[in-house]
Amino acid sequence: MTTGNINVKARLILYHKGQILLLKQTKPNGGNYTLVGGNVELGESARQSVIRESFEEAGIVLKPEDLHLVHVLHKLKKQQQRIVMYFKAYHWEGELKARETHKFKEAEWFYLDNLPKNLTQTVSDVLDEYREGNFYSEILSK
């Protein structure tokens, strides 16, 4: 019997000229840098979620065949579990800009070995795992 709540999310690691895309949150949303992505909605696949979220948040147009699963995070809290699938892509179209201005103030490119200090902790942990070639990681919270 499953108890509690399971949330499924999908995020994008988008490369361009050796750098990855990060969105800077507005101050009310933490003011940190994070990856594009969000909740997988009912009736939607993880790839479809990344495609939708990428356009909504950053104006990026992606094709399913350009998305490759590179990491899975299982985040556990007392009454909630979160599964986050991270997809990598190199090809995209569109006009890149932070579109959900109530959540994000800008979209910027960073090298993996020179990420901003104010990166969200989860994204920082996952990118460390990803750089080490680990396909799966867990975060256990109380």
Side-chain angles (χ1 to χ4, degrees), residues 35-128:
L35 293 167
V36 170
N39 290 320
V40 177
E41 295 179 357
L42 193 60
E44 182 177 60
S45 74
R47 275 195 175 107
Q48 289 169 331
S49 173
V50 168
I51 290 168
R52 176 183 52 76
E53 291 281 358
S54 295
F55 183 73
E56 288 175 2
E57 293 180 353
I60 298 166
V61 178
L62 298 164
K63 295 178 183 170
E65 61 268 20
D66 292 330
L67 294 169
H68 304 282
L69 184 64
V70 294
H71 192 79
V72 176
L73 168 66
H74 188 181
K75 193 171 187 178
L76 296 101
K77 293 183 178 184
K78 263 189 177 173
Q79 295 297 316
Q80 180 185 23
Q81 295 191 54
R82 181 178 297 165
I83 304 291
V84 187
M85 291 174 262
Y86 293 83
F87 291 88
K88 175 174 70 173
Y90 292 97
H91 306 289
W92 56 280
E93 296 177 1
E95 184 180 333
L96 177 64
K97 70 176 186 172
R99 292 173 38 120
E100 292 183 335
T101 55
H102 62 287
K103 293 196 304 191
F104 306 108
K105 58 190 271 186
E106 54 194 297
E108 298 179 52
W109 298 99
F110 293 90
Y111 289 102
L112 269 175
D113 59 357
N114 192 22
L115 296 171
K117 293 196 185 321
N118 59 332
L119 190 60
T120 63
Q121 190 59 55
T122 299
V123 171
S124 177
D125 293 345
V126 165
L127 290 176
D128 286 345

